[in-house]
Amino acid sequence: MPTEFISVTFANQNTELHPLPGAPVDPEFLVKYARALDDNDFNYTLIPYGSASFDPFTLGATVAAVTKKIKIIIALRPNTMYPTVAAKQLATLDQLSSGRVVVHFIAGGDDTEQAREGDFLSKDERYARQEEYIKILRQAWKSSDPINWEGKYYTFKDFRNNVRPVNGTIPVSVGGSSPEAYRIGGALADIFGLWGEPLKETKEQIDRIYAAADAAGRAPNDRPKIWVTSRPIVAETEELAWKKAHNILDLLKKNRAGPAIYPTSDKAPQNVGSQRLLDIAKKGEVQDRALWYPTVTATGARGASTALVGSPQTVIDSILDYVELGCELISIRGYDNYHDALDYGRYIIPGVRQALKEKGLNGTETNGETNGHDLNGDRPAKRARALRD
């Protein structure tokens, strides 16, 4: 399978470095940003979810309407929408986008955040509910007969669905680092999302996901695709990249990581993924080629926070290390959302695909023409200088 790239959709110019608390949707920026991802050969964009954030379905529909190729990943918490309603909404958006929808499930890793929208289940119960939810969606998308369902978390009778996905189903993504996440994702997911950890720890997680898939009776070629996320900090040279990284770190500390998707807390994180990042950070600031952990500690490991720091070639080589582990989906987003996406499209994405092509691997699939540029071009250096100023 080809290596594909994921970004995140942002509804305005609010960033962790330059926060704009309470900023509304900026339609012009949203359209510009979505088209930039489409034009720069990103394959997917995640529309995130938080209790205080914008509605992913509305943003996703907007992105779909102004782009041609990029796939829209709708983040969905099961407590926020009944599964029969979600089945229709996702399928409707899939039809509107000509089959470009993916759904990413968030079981919920923080009790306080879940309670903000009336969810008081335990973590294990949230995962069990998510498992039931996925099974309902799959049946709703494929069944031509009325559905009767009586489960632990959902009960309904005579549900009929006339809204079908373009390709018969919609890919399901699951994330997490707990045993239940591995079990459910391994058994049911088409995609499994991981945060950026060192290669050794990433390989251990992949092995656990694959073991869960095998235990569920899935064939090796039917295991979930692995999605890994990092925050590349790129400049023309190693020296400039590290100066840029430390400037970013200073701003993160100053802003306490800037605006959160949902209100922050100084308490230790409840979710296993964040706990893992903080534990790994104790082993050293830089791991593997260029995986940098001070951004993790500066933000309390809130979300995907590990950075890859270096010249374009260093970041390309670091990404290739993950590809060789079996990561088919590479999520990259920076700290200057729009301009970093442009830089990745100019230097990182084509560089990775060219390297895979030279290795004889199928890494050349793009959303359009490749943006072939000299990897030593001047834009990353200009961005580093702008940050220093």
Side-chain angles (χ1 to χ4, degrees):
M1 295 295 293
T3 299
E4 297 182 300
F5 287 87
I6 302 172
S7 186
V8 177
T9 286
F10 298 95
N12 53 44
Q13 298 186 62
N14 187 15
T15 72
E16 293 165 283
L17 304 186
H18 302 290
L20 300 172
V25 170
D26 181 339
E28 291 185 4
F29 178 84
L30 176 60
V31 170
K32 180 176 75 168
Y33 184 81
R35 286 175 173 165
L37 298 180
D38 212 28
D39 292 341
N40 281 276
D41 287 330
F42 282 89
N43 303 93
Y44 301 83
T45 183
L46 171 67
I47 317 291
Y49 186 87
S51 65
S53 65
F54 301 112
D55 171 53
F57 282 90
T58 309
L59 294 182
T62 303
V63 172
V66 300
T67 57
K68 298 179 180 178
K69 299 156 291 190
I70 198 164
K71 298 173 185 176
I72 297 97
I73 305 174
I74 300 294
L76 178 61
R77 287 184 185 164
N79 62 295
T80 64
M81 184 178 293
Y82 205 75
T84 54
V85 178
K88 293 182 292 181
Q89 286 198 203
L90 288 162
T92 301
L93 184 56
D94 194 62
Q95 290 184 14
L96 286 170
S97 64
S98 301
R100 290 189 282 141
V101 169
V102 177
V103 58
H104 177 66
F105 279 98
I106 305 170
D110 183 87
D111 292 344
T112 301
E113 166 66 2
Q114 292 303 117
R116 292 186 176 112
E117 294 187 292
D119 186 13
F120 297 96
L121 296 182
S122 68
K123 183 177 180 180
D124 285 345
E125 289 173 323
R126 294 196 294 264
Y127 271 109
R129 177 181 60 192
Q130 178 174 283
E131 181 177 16
E132 187 174 330
Y133 201 109
I134 293 170
K135 291 177 179 178
I136 292 170
L137 288 188
R138 292 249 171 86
Q139 188 167 343
W141 289 330
K142 74 177 183 180
S143 178
S144 57
D145 298 322
I147 301 171
N148 296 309
W149 188 275
E150 187 170 348
K152 182 176 180 179
Y153 300 97
Y154 302 102
T155 299
F156 52 88
K157 295 181 179 180
D158 198 36
F159 173 67
R160 301 165 187 263
N161 180 28
N162 295 322
V163 189
R164 303 302 174 83
V166 171
N167 297 309
T169 191
I170 289 172
V172 168
S173 171
V174 169
S177 297
S178 67
E180 278 299 279
Y182 299 141
R183 182 185 68 79
I184 294 170
L188 297 177
D190 301 294
I191 298 167
F192 197 105
L194 298 172
W195 288 340
E197 295 187 3
L199 298 170
K200 176 178 177 292
E201 285 80 1
T202 300
K203 178 63 165 58
E204 290 170 354
Q205 291 206 82
I206 293 172
D207 288 345
R208 295 189 69 177
I209 296 162
Y210 285 173
D214 295 344
R218 298 178 69 169
N221 63 355
D222 186 42
R223 292 166 170 166
K225 293 181 180 180
I226 303 300
W227 160 7
V228 67
T229 299
S230 65
R231 310 285 296 273
I233 299 173
V234 186
E236 184 178 7
T237 65
E238 300 296 319
E239 180 183 5
L240 287 172
W242 283 105
K243 286 183 178 179
K244 179 178 177 180
H246 283 285
N247 283 330
I248 287 172
L249 181 62
D250 289 343
L251 285 171
L252 288 175
K253 290 178 178 178
K254 177 182 176 181
N255 296 331
R256 189 60 178 93
I261 290 177
Y262 52 83
T264 61
S265 169
D266 289 329
K267 296 188 299 184
Q270 286 186 315
N271 70 83
V272 177
S274 293
Q275 293 169 7
R276 286 175 62 95
L277 292 183
L278 290 171
D279 287 342
I280 295 169
K282 297 173 184 176
K283 300 177 182 179
E285 289 192 356
V286 181
Q287 302 189 42
D288 298 333
R289 291 179 191 267
L291 190 65
W292 197 45
Y293 266 77
T295 48
V296 170
T297 54
T299 61
R302 196 183 66 238
S305 49
T306 44
L308 290 173
V309 181
S311 67
Q313 192 59 55
T314 294
V315 172
I316 288 167
D317 290 340
S318 298
I319 290 172
L320 291 171
D321 289 338
Y322 286 100
V323 173
E324 290 175 2
L325 279 186
C327 302
E328 297 178 53
L329 302 175
I330 305 297
S331 178
I332 49 176
R333 65 182 178 93
Y335 292 91
D336 181 349
N337 301 326
Y338 176 73
H339 293 102
D340 284 344
L342 296 182
D343 285 345
Y344 299 157
R346 286 186 171 96
Y347 310 111
I348 305 304
I349 293 175
V352 170
R353 289 183 169 137
Q354 180 61 34
L356 291 173
K357 183 177 180 181
E358 291 171 359
K359 290 173 179 283
L361 301 175
N362 187 11
T364 59
E365 181 174 297
T366 67
N367 275 338
E369 296 298 320
T370 56
N371 296 321
H373 290 264
D374 182 354
L375 293 181
N376 291 318
D378 63 354
R379 280 189 54 85
K382 287 181 179 178
R383 300 223 45 74
R385 286 193 291 271
L387 271 174
R388 290 201 304 276
D389 294 342

